[in-house]
Amino acid sequence: MAKSQDLSNDLMNTFIADKINNLKGLSESYFSWEDASVRKREERNGKQTRDEIITTFRTQLNDLRNDKSFISTLEQSLNLTNNGIMDRIRKCFPSERELDFSILTLLFSGFSIKSISFLLRMSEPSLRMRKTRYKQLFESLPEPDRSVFLNNLC
């Protein structure tokens, strides 16, 4: 049990540290507008300074979007913190595609349809249809899985 807890702690620490670094980069770009030197540079360079900050922001978002380990690490953390919820879903629906498990991982983690659309390069209407289908699938399950899955489907 202690070994499992250590693995859980290491996984969460790595995951959180990585995401904090992403947020730090985004925050530094955003809050650098408060810096007087940036304001002066903006007055001199105008559009170029705004473009630099926007480029930094886009780069950080695309890094997150292209991070191949992001969703799998998020799924592992969901399993550790929510009584194996994703393992249970995989067991209940073994024929679902990996994309569906990625979408469910993001939904269960509280991501909005708009955010998932960006991260997975999918249309919002397509994601809404999938979410409706997941809800129908979950409603067909016996308790307690039914309630747990439906309650986590944000």
Side-chain angles (χ1 to χ4, degrees):
M1 183 69 174
K3 189 175 184 178
S4 174
Q5 186 64 37
D6 289 344
L7 177 63
S8 171
N9 289 340
D10 289 346
L11 177 66
M12 289 303 291
N13 288 337
T14 302
F15 181 71
I16 290 169
D18 183 49
K19 298 313 150 209
I20 287 173
N21 285 334
N22 281 339
L23 289 173
K24 183 180 174 192
L26 292 171
S27 297
E28 286 173 358
S29 295
Y30 176 79
F31 289 112
S32 66
W33 284 100
E34 299 299 317
D35 188 332
S37 63
V38 172
R39 275 197 305 265
K40 285 182 183 178
R41 194 174 83 189
E42 165 64 15
E43 290 168 7
R44 284 192 313 269
N45 300 340
K47 185 177 182 317
Q48 180 183 354
T49 302
R50 282 191 301 275
D51 289 347
E52 288 172 7
I53 291 173
I54 289 169
T55 298
T56 301
F57 184 75
R58 283 185 180 150
T59 300
Q60 290 287 330
L61 285 176
N62 282 320
D63 287 349
L64 180 61
R65 177 190 239 180
N66 296 322
D67 182 352
K68 301 293 183 211
S69 67
F70 173 66
I71 293 175
S72 63
T73 305
L74 190 59
E75 181 175 334
Q76 290 174 3
S77 70
L78 272 175
N79 275 326
L80 291 170
T81 58
N82 290 289
N83 199 20
I85 191 167
M86 292 306 299
D87 289 341
R88 290 165 51 197
I89 284 192
R90 285 179 180 277
K91 185 177 177 185
C92 289
F93 304 104
S95 62
E96 289 296 315
R97 295 178 25 214
E98 197 58 38
L99 176 62
D100 291 304
F101 295 123
S102 294
I103 294 168
L104 286 167
T105 296
L106 292 166
L107 285 169
F108 285 2
S109 298
F111 283 79
S112 68
I113 293 291
K114 187 175 206 75
S115 297
I116 296 169
S117 171
F118 171 79
L119 289 169
L120 299 180
R121 296 174 172 91
M122 294 179 68
S123 73
E124 290 180 41
S126 171
L127 286 165
R128 281 191 205 89
M129 285 183 1
R130 284 176 183 262
K131 186 175 177 182
T132 300
R133 185 175 66 84
Y134 301 146
K135 185 177 179 183
Q136 291 168 346
L137 284 172
F138 297 162
E139 287 172 344
S140 71
L141 293 173
E143 293 294 343
D145 287 337
R146 177 178 164 198
S147 295
V148 170
F149 297 166
L150 285 171
N151 288 338
N152 281 282
L153 191 63
C154 299

